[in-house]
Amino acid sequence: MVASKNPVKLKATQNILGKIYPKTDVKAKHVDSGVPDQPIGLDITIQGAINRAKNAFSDEFDLSVGIESGLLEVPHSLTGYLDLQWCAIYDGEKTTLGVSAGFEYPPMVIKKVLEGIEVGDVMDEVTGVNKLGQKKGAVSHLSKGLLDRTGNTEQCVLMAMIPRMNERVYF
Protein backbone atom coordinates (compact mmCIF):
# COMPACT_ATOMS: atom_id res chain seq x y z
CA MET A 1 0.00 0.00 0.00
CA VAL A 2 1.44 3.33 -1.07
CA ALA A 3 0.48 6.06 1.39
CA SER A 4 -0.30 8.66 -1.27
CA LYS A 5 -2.53 9.09 -4.30
CA ASN A 6 0.31 10.93 -6.09
CA PRO A 7 0.69 9.02 -9.37
CA VAL A 8 4.48 9.49 -9.37
CA LYS A 9 4.86 7.84 -5.95
CA LEU A 10 2.59 4.97 -7.00
CA LYS A 11 4.40 4.39 -10.30
CA ALA A 12 7.86 4.54 -8.71
CA THR A 13 6.82 2.02 -6.04
CA GLN A 14 5.23 -0.27 -8.65
CA ASN A 15 8.38 -0.10 -10.78
CA ILE A 16 10.72 -1.09 -7.94
CA LEU A 17 8.54 -3.59 -6.08
CA GLY A 18 7.50 -5.17 -9.39
CA LYS A 19 11.16 -5.99 -10.08
CA ILE A 20 11.66 -7.45 -6.60
CA TYR A 21 8.28 -9.21 -6.33
CA PRO A 22 7.06 -9.85 -9.91
CA LYS A 23 3.50 -10.74 -8.84
CA THR A 24 3.09 -7.78 -6.51
CA ASP A 25 -0.16 -5.84 -6.28
CA VAL A 26 0.45 -2.19 -5.41
CA LYS A 27 -2.44 0.03 -4.34
CA ALA A 28 -2.59 3.62 -3.17
CA LYS A 29 -4.60 5.59 -0.66
CA HIS A 30 -4.41 9.10 0.69
CA VAL A 31 -2.77 9.20 4.11
CA ASP A 32 -1.91 12.23 6.21
CA SER A 33 1.80 12.64 6.87
CA GLY A 34 1.28 14.41 10.19
CA VAL A 35 3.92 16.98 9.23
CA PRO A 36 3.64 20.35 7.46
CA ASP A 37 2.89 20.27 3.72
CA GLN A 38 6.38 21.63 3.12
CA PRO A 39 8.72 19.76 5.44
CA ILE A 40 11.99 21.50 6.21
CA GLY A 41 14.57 19.50 8.13
CA LEU A 42 15.80 15.93 8.31
CA ASP A 43 13.79 14.74 11.31
CA ILE A 44 10.47 16.15 10.18
CA THR A 45 10.84 14.83 6.63
CA ILE A 46 11.72 11.31 7.78
CA GLN A 47 8.91 11.42 10.36
CA GLY A 48 6.48 12.32 7.57
CA ALA A 49 7.53 9.25 5.56
CA ILE A 50 7.29 6.99 8.62
CA ASN A 51 3.88 8.41 9.60
CA ARG A 52 2.58 7.82 6.10
CA ALA A 53 3.82 4.22 6.02
CA LYS A 54 2.45 3.37 9.46
CA ASN A 55 -0.89 5.13 8.86
CA ALA A 56 -1.37 3.20 5.60
CA PHE A 57 -0.53 -0.22 7.01
CA SER A 58 -3.14 -2.95 7.29
CA ASP A 59 -3.04 -6.73 7.44
CA GLU A 60 -4.41 -6.72 3.89
CA PHE A 61 -0.92 -5.86 2.59
CA ASP A 62 2.58 -7.11 3.42
CA LEU A 63 4.20 -3.67 3.19
CA SER A 64 3.18 -0.05 3.33
CA VAL A 65 5.25 2.64 1.68
CA GLY A 66 5.48 6.24 2.83
CA ILE A 67 7.36 8.79 0.73
CA GLU A 68 8.05 12.35 1.82
CA SER A 69 10.04 15.08 0.08
CA GLY A 70 11.63 17.77 2.17
CA LEU A 71 14.25 20.46 2.22
CA LEU A 72 17.31 19.66 4.28
CA GLU A 73 19.87 22.18 5.40
CA VAL A 74 23.17 21.53 3.64
CA PRO A 75 26.23 23.62 4.41
CA HIS A 76 28.23 24.96 1.46
CA SER A 77 25.28 24.66 -0.95
CA LEU A 78 24.19 27.73 -2.93
CA THR A 79 20.94 28.22 -1.02
CA GLY A 80 21.65 26.25 2.14
CA TYR A 81 19.11 23.54 1.21
CA LEU A 82 18.79 20.40 -0.91
CA ASP A 83 15.58 18.57 -1.73
CA LEU A 84 15.62 14.88 -0.76
CA GLN A 85 12.90 12.25 -0.88
CA TRP A 86 12.72 9.79 1.99
CA CYS A 87 10.95 6.44 1.80
CA ALA A 88 9.82 4.45 4.83
CA ILE A 89 8.65 0.88 4.31
CA TYR A 90 6.73 -0.71 7.16
CA ASP A 91 5.71 -4.35 7.62
CA GLY A 92 3.79 -4.11 10.89
CA GLU A 93 6.96 -4.56 12.96
CA LYS A 94 9.98 -2.87 11.46
CA THR A 95 10.59 0.18 9.32
CA THR A 96 13.33 0.48 6.72
CA LEU A 97 14.42 3.81 5.27
CA GLY A 98 15.88 4.99 1.99
CA VAL A 99 16.72 8.34 0.47
CA SER A 100 16.95 9.65 -3.08
CA ALA A 101 19.64 11.73 -4.69
CA GLY A 102 19.27 15.32 -3.59
CA PHE A 103 19.18 18.42 -5.72
CA GLU A 104 19.14 22.16 -5.17
CA TYR A 105 16.38 24.54 -6.18
CA PRO A 106 17.17 27.98 -7.59
CA PRO A 107 17.67 30.65 -4.89
CA MET A 108 14.39 32.44 -5.72
CA VAL A 109 12.46 29.20 -5.10
CA ILE A 110 14.04 28.69 -1.69
CA LYS A 111 13.40 32.35 -0.82
CA LYS A 112 9.66 31.93 -1.53
CA VAL A 113 9.53 28.60 0.33
CA LEU A 114 11.07 30.20 3.40
CA GLU A 115 8.36 32.86 3.12
CA GLY A 116 5.76 30.09 3.48
CA ILE A 117 4.94 29.02 -0.07
CA GLU A 118 5.21 25.31 -0.94
CA VAL A 119 7.94 24.24 -3.39
CA GLY A 120 5.32 22.69 -5.69
CA ASP A 121 3.39 25.94 -5.97
CA VAL A 122 6.54 27.94 -6.69
CA MET A 123 7.76 25.46 -9.30
CA ASP A 124 4.31 25.39 -10.96
CA GLU A 125 4.61 29.17 -11.26
CA VAL A 126 8.23 29.03 -12.53
CA THR A 127 7.56 26.33 -15.14
CA GLY A 128 3.95 27.11 -16.07
CA VAL A 129 3.09 23.42 -15.50
CA ASN A 130 0.16 22.78 -13.16
CA LYS A 131 0.89 20.07 -10.56
CA LEU A 132 4.44 19.56 -11.84
CA GLY A 133 5.20 17.34 -8.81
CA GLN A 134 2.57 14.84 -9.94
CA LYS A 135 4.08 14.69 -13.41
CA LYS A 136 7.77 14.89 -14.35
CA GLY A 137 8.67 16.92 -11.29
CA ALA A 138 10.99 19.81 -10.62
CA VAL A 139 14.02 17.55 -10.86
CA SER A 140 13.14 16.82 -14.50
CA HIS A 141 12.78 20.51 -15.30
CA LEU A 142 16.01 21.43 -13.54
CA SER A 143 18.03 18.47 -14.93
CA LYS A 144 16.79 19.18 -18.47
CA GLY A 145 15.02 15.81 -18.52
CA LEU A 146 18.02 13.71 -17.50
CA LEU A 147 16.19 12.54 -14.35
CA ASP A 148 12.45 12.74 -13.76
CA ARG A 149 10.60 12.56 -10.47
CA THR A 150 9.63 8.93 -11.00
CA GLY A 151 13.29 7.94 -11.33
CA ASN A 152 14.24 10.09 -8.34
CA THR A 153 11.47 8.50 -6.27
CA GLU A 154 12.48 5.00 -7.40
CA GLN A 155 15.87 5.68 -5.80
CA CYS A 156 14.47 6.13 -2.30
CA VAL A 157 12.11 3.14 -2.63
CA LEU A 158 14.96 0.88 -3.75
CA MET A 159 17.25 2.11 -0.98
CA ALA A 160 14.53 1.37 1.61
CA MET A 161 14.16 -2.14 0.17
CA ILE A 162 17.87 -3.06 0.45
CA PRO A 163 17.59 -4.45 4.01
CA ARG A 164 14.49 -6.42 3.00
CA MET A 165 16.29 -7.84 -0.04
CA ASN A 166 19.14 -8.97 2.22
CA GLU A 167 17.26 -10.06 5.35
CA ARG A 168 19.89 -12.61 6.36
CA VAL A 169 22.56 -9.93 6.93
CA TYR A 170 20.27 -7.14 8.19
CA PHE A 171 17.86 -8.94 10.51
Side-chain angles (χ1 to χ4, degrees):
M1 176 63 70
V2 178
S4 173
K5 290 277 192 169
N6 184 317
V8 170
K9 293 178 181 182
L10 177 61
K11 182 170 177 41
T13 303
Q14 285 174 324
N15 291 348
I16 295 301
L17 293 185
K19 290 176 182 174
I20 299 167
Y21 310 112
K23 294 182 182 185
T24 194
D25 183 25
V26 179
K27 303 280 187 205
K29 72 176 182 179
H30 174 75
V31 175
D32 187 22
S33 69
V35 301
D37 290 338
Q38 180 56 68
I40 299 176
L42 181 65
D43 290 342
I44 199 162
T45 305
I46 292 172
Q47 192 60 59
I50 291 170
N51 291 349
R52 285 181 186 276
K54 287 186 174 181
N55 291 340
F57 186 76
S58 77
D59 291 336
E60 185 181 342
F61 294 90
D62 296 318
L63 301 171
S64 56
V65 178
I67 299 167
E68 193 73 36
S69 293
L71 294 176
L72 282 71
E73 288 187 55
V74 178
H76 312 292
S77 60
L78 295 172
T79 62
Y81 295 91
L82 291 183
D83 182 278
L84 292 153
Q85 289 189 82
W86 285 87
C87 176
I89 300 180
Y90 182 65
D91 63 9
E93 288 182 28
K94 58 191 167 301
T95 302
T96 54
L97 296 173
V99 65
S100 69
F103 67 95
E104 193 161 8
Y105 286 102
M108 62 82 75
V109 173
I110 296 300
K111 181 178 183 282
K112 287 188 176 192
V113 169
L114 295 176
E115 291 170 357
I117 303 171
E118 284 184 51
V119 165
D121 294 335
V122 179
M123 287 304 297
D124 285 359
E125 184 182 310
V126 168
T127 64
V129 177
N130 188 39
K131 297 194 183 288
L132 179 67
Q134 294 185 16
K135 298 172 184 163
K136 292 186 177 191
V139 70
S140 179
H141 177 79
L142 295 170
S143 72
K144 308 286 189 209
L146 294 176
L147 178 64
D148 64 16
R149 184 161 187 212
T150 301
N152 194 230
T153 306
E154 287 173 351
Q155 294 170 345
C156 70
V157 175
L158 177 59
M159 297 303 106
M161 283 302 297
I162 284 176
R164 296 175 186 284
M165 295 165 62
N166 298 279
E167 287 192 10
R168 190 176 56 88
V169 293
Y170 279 87
F171 306 113

